[in-house]
Amino acid sequence: MLRILLVFSGMVSVILGVLGIFLPLLPTTPFLLLASACFVKSSPRFNHWLITHKKFGPVIQNWQTNRAVSSTVRRRGAAAIVVSFCWSIWIVPLVWLKIILFLGLMLALTFFLRLPVNDLVD
């Protein structure tokens, strides 16, 4: 049962990651990393397909081997974080919620921008 749940979660994560290529507010890399983590524990075949994929593989391998992202991933990710949080802050009517969202933006951006960069793999 757990294996089926992990394969399903991995597939959904891959789909969301692919959508993130085309939708600017949906991050691609975290979903692909989540898919890889699910596939490692549930399906070696799907995991092999994902890490050897021409587009997705280098990002995942860079994270798995170096615990780093490329500067392109870092730039796009930071932009997505800022845009999505600013949109949320703008549409929320309550001031206290705007403050919490702003603090969340600062925390998320600080964490994300502190990730190591490795441009050897892109």
Side-chain angles (χ1 to χ4, degrees):
M1 183 68 172
L2 179 61
R3 183 180 178 277
I4 293 169
L5 182 62
L6 287 171
V7 168
F8 177 76
S9 298
M11 290 295 192
V12 169
S13 296
V14 168
I15 291 168
L16 290 172
V18 170
L19 287 174
I21 294 170
F22 305 104
L23 301 173
L25 296 180
L26 195 62
T28 300
T29 304
F31 285 117
L32 294 178
L33 293 174
L34 177 60
S36 179
C38 290
F39 290 152
V40 161
K41 296 185 180 283
S42 64
S43 175
R45 189 180 89 207
F46 286 141
N47 187 53
H48 180 265
W49 169 79
L50 192 59
I51 63 172
T52 58
H53 191 275
K54 186 171 86 174
K55 295 288 184 188
F56 306 145
V59 174
I60 295 168
Q61 290 174 356
N62 193 15
W63 180 258
Q64 289 177 342
T65 59
N66 304 312
R67 288 288 185 238
V69 296
S70 69
S71 58
T72 303
V73 167
R74 180 187 244 183
R75 242 186 345 270
R76 289 179 184 167
I81 290 170
V82 169
V83 169
S84 61
F85 268 93
C86 286
W87 172 257
S88 298
I89 291 168
W90 184 62
I91 65 170
V92 169
L94 305 172
V95 174
W96 65 270
L97 199 49
K98 289 179 186 278
I99 293 169
I100 290 173
L101 284 169
F102 179 76
L103 294 174
L105 167 64
M106 292 296 111
L107 185 66
L109 204 53
T110 300
F111 171 78
F112 189 75
L113 292 177
R114 291 176 56 106
L115 291 176
V117 173
N118 181 357
D119 282 327
L120 298 177
V121 184
D122 199 10

